[in-house]
Amino acid sequence: MISIVDISHVIFRVPDPDRMTTFLNDFGLIPRMVDDRLYARGLGASPYLHVTEKGEPGFVALGFRAESEAELRAFGLAEGVEPQRLQRPGGGLCVTLRDPDGFLIEVVAGQDLPPALQLPPTDGWNNVRQRERIRKVKRMGNAGANVVRLGHCVLNVSDFRRSEAWYKSRFGFITSDEIAIAGGKGIGAFLRFDRGDEPTDHHSLALVETTDTPGFNHAAFEVVDFDDLYAGHVRLSAGGWEPYWGVGRHLLGSQVFDYWRDPWGNTLEHWTDGDLLTAADGSNIVPVSELMATQWGPPPPFA
């Protein structure tokens, strides 16, 4: 088992990186081409969150960031995989594995992390609990969303228990909420990293058993706040991109969400205001009715 700091990146393959560049700009990422690959970063201290290769459309890989190169080398030895130096922005060392459904998992460490970029200015919020904006008017402009970091990825898997065991035994995930159908059978879970007493996202990975072909479900990117999320909604709408689901607030994880489709049908989510848990907060089992439940907002498009 290796100590994981956070989810790192997702990689896709598309036939037209220029069109992906346009979409990612509207989505609130900062893309640039390096050696025939499109790398898109956010405002946080990561060299890239979203990577695009040229080719037939598809999901390529999910990345996690490990604590250190020393731990990564030991992990690679245990898995029988030789770590490789990355020829990408930020460099670093990488161990690649295939999960039970064949998803490519990259574990990286030792990257040269760039400094975080400046967050957009805020005039504060006024509500009945706290008045932050006094003698100022609020003006948002029309710049769209500002993605800060990658928050989680959801995978549709063929056998939930098999995949759960594979990920937990290697990366130390803790179940936040397990999804159970009638009779108590678990068919999925929202999993968080074990950072001890350090608060971490309610889920960085979710696995959902499917009767269809296993595949990528969606990747979710944290934006600055609710205003930022809705500014992104307006920008993406003006760009003519395909909305999928939102705006609403999830029940499990509590995030305010807004889902969109990239030009090849991959689902990407903007989110803000999610739950933060520690290892001591334990795990829950919840009915399948809560899987896609919202506290407010539209029902799922497939409901």
Side-chain angles (χ1 to χ4, degrees), residues 173-211:
F173 280 104
I174 300 171
T175 296
S176 294
D177 291 294
E178 180 176 312
I179 310 302
I181 59 175
K185 179 187 176 183
I187 53 92
F190 294 91
L191 306 173
R192 68 185 185 274
F193 291 120
D194 184 354
R195 303 295 297 163
D197 292 334
E198 179 184 338
T200 189
D201 291 324
H202 171 271
H203 57 284
S204 295
L205 176 68
L207 305 171
V208 181
E209 190 168 311
T210 179
T211 56

Short mmCIF file of all heavy atoms in Angstrom, two decimals, residues 173-211:
data_model
loop_
_atom_site.label_atom_id
_atom_site.label_comp_id
_atom_site.label_asym_id
_atom_site.label_seq_id
_atom_site.Cartn_x
_atom_site.Cartn_y
_atom_site.Cartn_z
N PHE A 173 -7.79 3.52 0.34
CA PHE A 173 -9.04 4.27 0.35
C PHE A 173 -9.92 3.86 1.54
O PHE A 173 -9.92 2.71 1.98
CB PHE A 173 -9.82 4.02 -0.94
CG PHE A 173 -9.34 4.82 -2.12
CD1 PHE A 173 -8.60 4.21 -3.12
CD2 PHE A 173 -9.65 6.17 -2.23
CE1 PHE A 173 -8.17 4.93 -4.22
CE2 PHE A 173 -9.22 6.90 -3.32
CZ PHE A 173 -8.48 6.28 -4.32
N ILE A 174 -10.70 4.82 2.02
CA ILE A 174 -11.73 4.61 3.03
C ILE A 174 -13.09 4.82 2.37
O ILE A 174 -13.27 5.79 1.63
CB ILE A 174 -11.57 5.59 4.22
CG1 ILE A 174 -10.21 5.42 4.90
CG2 ILE A 174 -12.70 5.42 5.22
CD1 ILE A 174 -9.93 6.50 5.92
N THR A 175 -14.03 3.96 2.67
CA THR A 175 -15.39 4.17 2.16
C THR A 175 -16.06 5.29 2.93
O THR A 175 -16.09 5.28 4.17
CB THR A 175 -16.23 2.89 2.31
OG1 THR A 175 -15.67 1.86 1.49
CG2 THR A 175 -17.68 3.13 1.91
N SER A 176 -16.59 6.26 2.21
CA SER A 176 -17.44 7.28 2.83
C SER A 176 -18.88 6.80 2.84
O SER A 176 -19.53 6.74 3.88
CB SER A 176 -17.30 8.61 2.09
OG SER A 176 -16.02 9.14 2.23
N ASP A 177 -19.40 6.45 1.65
CA ASP A 177 -20.75 5.92 1.53
C ASP A 177 -20.75 4.75 0.56
O ASP A 177 -20.36 4.92 -0.61
CB ASP A 177 -21.72 7.00 1.02
CG ASP A 177 -21.96 8.10 2.04
OD1 ASP A 177 -22.54 7.80 3.09
OD2 ASP A 177 -21.54 9.24 1.78
N GLU A 178 -21.18 3.59 1.05
CA GLU A 178 -21.39 2.44 0.16
C GLU A 178 -22.84 2.42 -0.30
O GLU A 178 -23.75 2.68 0.49
CB GLU A 178 -21.05 1.14 0.88
CG GLU A 178 -21.25 -0.10 0.01
CD GLU A 178 -20.82 -1.38 0.68
OE1 GLU A 178 -19.70 -1.41 1.24
OE2 GLU A 178 -21.60 -2.35 0.65
N ILE A 179 -23.05 2.11 -1.57
CA ILE A 179 -24.38 2.09 -2.17
C ILE A 179 -24.88 0.65 -2.17
O ILE A 179 -24.23 -0.24 -2.73
CB ILE A 179 -24.35 2.65 -3.60
CG1 ILE A 179 -23.61 4.00 -3.65
CG2 ILE A 179 -25.76 2.76 -4.15
CD1 ILE A 179 -24.20 5.06 -2.75
N ALA A 180 -26.05 0.42 -1.55
CA ALA A 180 -26.60 -0.92 -1.44
C ALA A 180 -27.97 -1.00 -2.10
O ALA A 180 -28.78 -0.07 -1.99
CB ALA A 180 -26.71 -1.33 0.02
N ILE A 181 -28.21 -2.11 -2.78
CA ILE A 181 -29.53 -2.37 -3.35
C ILE A 181 -30.31 -3.26 -2.39
O ILE A 181 -29.82 -3.62 -1.32
CB ILE A 181 -29.41 -3.01 -4.75
CG1 ILE A 181 -28.62 -4.33 -4.68
CG2 ILE A 181 -28.76 -2.05 -5.73
CD1 ILE A 181 -28.58 -5.07 -6.01
N ALA A 182 -31.53 -3.62 -2.78
CA ALA A 182 -32.37 -4.47 -1.94
C ALA A 182 -31.62 -5.75 -1.58
O ALA A 182 -30.97 -6.37 -2.42
CB ALA A 182 -33.67 -4.80 -2.68
N GLY A 183 -31.72 -6.13 -0.33
CA GLY A 183 -30.99 -7.30 0.15
C GLY A 183 -29.63 -6.97 0.71
O GLY A 183 -28.94 -7.84 1.23
N GLY A 184 -29.24 -5.70 0.60
CA GLY A 184 -27.99 -5.24 1.19
C GLY A 184 -26.76 -5.41 0.35
O GLY A 184 -25.64 -5.15 0.81
N LYS A 185 -26.90 -5.86 -0.90
CA LYS A 185 -25.72 -6.04 -1.75
C LYS A 185 -25.13 -4.68 -2.14
O LYS A 185 -25.82 -3.79 -2.61
CB LYS A 185 -26.09 -6.81 -3.02
CG LYS A 185 -24.90 -7.00 -3.96
CD LYS A 185 -25.30 -7.62 -5.29
CE LYS A 185 -24.10 -7.70 -6.22
NZ LYS A 185 -24.43 -8.22 -7.56
N GLY A 186 -23.82 -4.54 -1.94
CA GLY A 186 -23.13 -3.32 -2.34
C GLY A 186 -22.85 -3.30 -3.83
O GLY A 186 -22.31 -4.27 -4.37
N ILE A 187 -23.23 -2.22 -4.49
CA ILE A 187 -23.00 -2.11 -5.93
C ILE A 187 -22.15 -0.88 -6.29
O ILE A 187 -21.95 -0.59 -7.46
CB ILE A 187 -24.33 -2.09 -6.72
CG1 ILE A 187 -25.29 -1.02 -6.21
CG2 ILE A 187 -24.98 -3.46 -6.63
CD1 ILE A 187 -25.22 0.30 -6.89
N GLY A 188 -21.62 -0.21 -5.27
CA GLY A 188 -20.78 0.94 -5.53
C GLY A 188 -20.39 1.63 -4.25
O GLY A 188 -20.92 1.32 -3.17
N ALA A 189 -19.46 2.59 -4.35
CA ALA A 189 -19.05 3.34 -3.16
C ALA A 189 -18.33 4.61 -3.56
O ALA A 189 -17.69 4.70 -4.61
CB ALA A 189 -18.13 2.49 -2.28
N PHE A 190 -18.48 5.59 -2.67
CA PHE A 190 -17.70 6.81 -2.73
C PHE A 190 -16.52 6.64 -1.77
O PHE A 190 -16.73 6.39 -0.57
CB PHE A 190 -18.54 8.02 -2.32
CG PHE A 190 -19.67 8.32 -3.29
CD1 PHE A 190 -20.93 7.77 -3.11
CD2 PHE A 190 -19.45 9.15 -4.37
CE1 PHE A 190 -21.95 8.04 -4.00
CE2 PHE A 190 -20.47 9.44 -5.27
CZ PHE A 190 -21.72 8.87 -5.08
N LEU A 191 -15.30 6.77 -2.29
CA LEU A 191 -14.09 6.46 -1.53
C LEU A 191 -13.24 7.71 -1.34
O LEU A 191 -13.04 8.48 -2.27
CB LEU A 191 -13.28 5.40 -2.28
CG LEU A 191 -14.02 4.12 -2.66
CD1 LEU A 191 -13.13 3.25 -3.55
CD2 LEU A 191 -14.46 3.36 -1.43
N ARG A 192 -12.71 7.87 -0.13
CA ARG A 192 -11.83 9.00 0.16
C ARG A 192 -10.44 8.49 0.54
O ARG A 192 -10.28 7.34 0.98
CB ARG A 192 -12.40 9.87 1.28
CG ARG A 192 -12.43 9.24 2.66
CD ARG A 192 -13.13 10.17 3.66
NE ARG A 192 -13.11 9.68 5.03
CZ ARG A 192 -13.99 8.83 5.55
NH1 ARG A 192 -14.97 8.35 4.80
NH2 ARG A 192 -13.89 8.47 6.82
N PHE A 193 -9.44 9.37 0.40
CA PHE A 193 -8.09 9.02 0.80
C PHE A 193 -7.97 9.03 2.32
O PHE A 193 -8.61 9.83 3.00
CB PHE A 193 -7.07 9.98 0.19
CG PHE A 193 -6.94 9.86 -1.30
CD1 PHE A 193 -7.20 10.94 -2.12
CD2 PHE A 193 -6.54 8.67 -1.89
CE1 PHE A 193 -7.07 10.84 -3.50
CE2 PHE A 193 -6.41 8.56 -3.26
CZ PHE A 193 -6.68 9.65 -4.06
N ASP A 194 -7.14 8.16 2.85
CA ASP A 194 -6.86 8.12 4.28
C ASP A 194 -5.70 9.06 4.57
O ASP A 194 -4.54 8.70 4.38
CB ASP A 194 -6.52 6.69 4.71
CG ASP A 194 -6.31 6.58 6.22
OD1 ASP A 194 -6.32 7.62 6.91
OD2 ASP A 194 -6.13 5.44 6.69
N ARG A 195 -6.03 10.27 5.04
CA ARG A 195 -5.01 11.25 5.41
C ARG A 195 -4.98 11.45 6.92
O ARG A 195 -4.56 12.51 7.41
CB ARG A 195 -5.27 12.58 4.70
CG ARG A 195 -5.31 12.50 3.17
CD ARG A 195 -4.00 12.10 2.56
NE ARG A 195 -2.96 13.08 2.82
CZ ARG A 195 -1.66 12.85 2.69
NH1 ARG A 195 -1.24 11.64 2.32
NH2 ARG A 195 -0.78 13.79 2.93
N GLY A 196 -5.48 10.45 7.67
CA GLY A 196 -5.47 10.56 9.13
C GLY A 196 -6.37 11.67 9.61
O GLY A 196 -7.56 11.72 9.28
N ASP A 197 -5.80 12.60 10.38
CA ASP A 197 -6.58 13.71 10.92
C ASP A 197 -6.71 14.88 9.95
O ASP A 197 -7.38 15.87 10.26
CB ASP A 197 -5.93 14.23 12.21
CG ASP A 197 -6.01 13.21 13.34
OD1 ASP A 197 -6.94 12.38 13.32
OD2 ASP A 197 -5.13 13.24 14.23
N GLU A 198 -6.07 14.77 8.80
CA GLU A 198 -6.16 15.85 7.80
C GLU A 198 -7.46 15.69 7.01
O GLU A 198 -7.71 14.65 6.42
CB GLU A 198 -4.97 15.78 6.84
CG GLU A 198 -4.99 16.83 5.75
CD GLU A 198 -3.85 16.65 4.76
OE1 GLU A 198 -2.84 16.00 5.13
OE2 GLU A 198 -3.98 17.14 3.62
N PRO A 199 -8.31 16.71 6.99
CA PRO A 199 -9.56 16.61 6.24
C PRO A 199 -9.31 16.39 4.75
O PRO A 199 -8.40 16.98 4.17
CB PRO A 199 -10.26 17.95 6.50
CG PRO A 199 -9.64 18.48 7.75
CD PRO A 199 -8.21 17.99 7.71
N THR A 200 -10.10 15.51 4.15
CA THR A 200 -9.98 15.23 2.72
C THR A 200 -11.37 15.16 2.12
O THR A 200 -12.37 15.03 2.82
CB THR A 200 -9.20 13.91 2.51
OG1 THR A 200 -8.92 13.75 1.13
CG2 THR A 200 -9.99 12.72 3.00
N ASP A 201 -11.45 15.26 0.80
CA ASP A 201 -12.74 15.27 0.13
C ASP A 201 -13.55 14.01 0.46
O ASP A 201 -13.00 12.92 0.59
CB ASP A 201 -12.55 15.34 -1.39
CG ASP A 201 -12.00 16.68 -1.84
OD1 ASP A 201 -12.36 17.70 -1.24
OD2 ASP A 201 -11.21 16.69 -2.81
N HIS A 202 -14.85 14.16 0.56
CA HIS A 202 -15.77 13.05 0.78
C HIS A 202 -15.47 11.89 -0.17
O HIS A 202 -15.55 10.73 0.22
CB HIS A 202 -17.20 13.53 0.59
CG HIS A 202 -18.24 12.45 0.59
ND1 HIS A 202 -18.63 11.79 -0.57
CD2 HIS A 202 -18.97 11.91 1.59
CE1 HIS A 202 -19.56 10.91 -0.28
NE2 HIS A 202 -19.80 10.95 1.02
N HIS A 203 -15.13 12.19 -1.41
CA HIS A 203 -14.67 11.14 -2.32
C HIS A 203 -13.71 11.72 -3.35
O HIS A 203 -13.91 12.81 -3.86
CB HIS A 203 -15.83 10.42 -3.01
CG HIS A 203 -16.76 11.28 -3.80
ND1 HIS A 203 -17.72 12.08 -3.22
CD2 HIS A 203 -16.90 11.45 -5.14
CE1 HIS A 203 -18.42 12.70 -4.15
NE2 HIS A 203 -17.92 12.35 -5.33
N SER A 204 -12.66 10.96 -3.60
CA SER A 204 -11.73 11.25 -4.69
C SER A 204 -11.88 10.22 -5.80
O SER A 204 -11.41 10.45 -6.92
CB SER A 204 -10.29 11.27 -4.17
OG SER A 204 -10.10 12.34 -3.27
N LEU A 205 -12.47 9.09 -5.47
CA LEU A 205 -12.77 8.05 -6.44
C LEU A 205 -14.13 7.46 -6.09
O LEU A 205 -14.44 7.26 -4.91
CB LEU A 205 -11.71 6.94 -6.39
CG LEU A 205 -11.93 5.73 -7.30
CD1 LEU A 205 -11.79 6.11 -8.78
CD2 LEU A 205 -10.98 4.60 -6.94
N ALA A 206 -14.94 7.21 -7.10
CA ALA A 206 -16.19 6.47 -6.90
C ALA A 206 -16.24 5.33 -7.91
O ALA A 206 -15.84 5.50 -9.07
CB ALA A 206 -17.40 7.38 -7.04
N LEU A 207 -16.70 4.19 -7.44
CA LEU A 207 -16.84 3.00 -8.28
C LEU A 207 -18.30 2.60 -8.28
O LEU A 207 -18.93 2.51 -7.22
CB LEU A 207 -15.99 1.86 -7.71
CG LEU A 207 -14.50 2.13 -7.50
CD1 LEU A 207 -13.86 0.98 -6.73
CD2 LEU A 207 -13.80 2.35 -8.83
N VAL A 208 -18.85 2.37 -9.48
CA VAL A 208 -20.25 1.98 -9.60
C VAL A 208 -20.34 0.78 -10.53
O VAL A 208 -19.86 0.83 -11.68
CB VAL A 208 -21.11 3.13 -10.16
CG1 VAL A 208 -22.57 2.69 -10.25
CG2 VAL A 208 -20.99 4.38 -9.28
N GLU A 209 -20.92 -0.32 -10.02
CA GLU A 209 -21.04 -1.53 -10.84
C GLU A 209 -22.07 -1.31 -11.95
O GLU A 209 -23.14 -0.74 -11.72
CB GLU A 209 -21.46 -2.70 -9.96
CG GLU A 209 -21.39 -4.04 -10.66
CD GLU A 209 -21.51 -5.20 -9.69
OE1 GLU A 209 -20.78 -5.21 -8.66
OE2 GLU A 209 -22.34 -6.09 -9.95
N THR A 210 -21.73 -1.76 -13.15
CA THR A 210 -22.60 -1.59 -14.30
C THR A 210 -22.86 -2.93 -14.97
O THR A 210 -22.01 -3.82 -14.93
CB THR A 210 -21.97 -0.62 -15.32
OG1 THR A 210 -22.84 -0.48 -16.45
CG2 THR A 210 -20.62 -1.11 -15.81
N THR A 211 -24.03 -3.05 -15.57
CA THR A 211 -24.33 -4.23 -16.39
C THR A 211 -23.91 -4.00 -17.83
O THR A 211 -23.96 -4.92 -18.65
CB THR A 211 -25.83 -4.56 -16.34
OG1 THR A 211 -26.58 -3.40 -16.74
CG2 THR A 211 -26.24 -4.95 -14.92
#
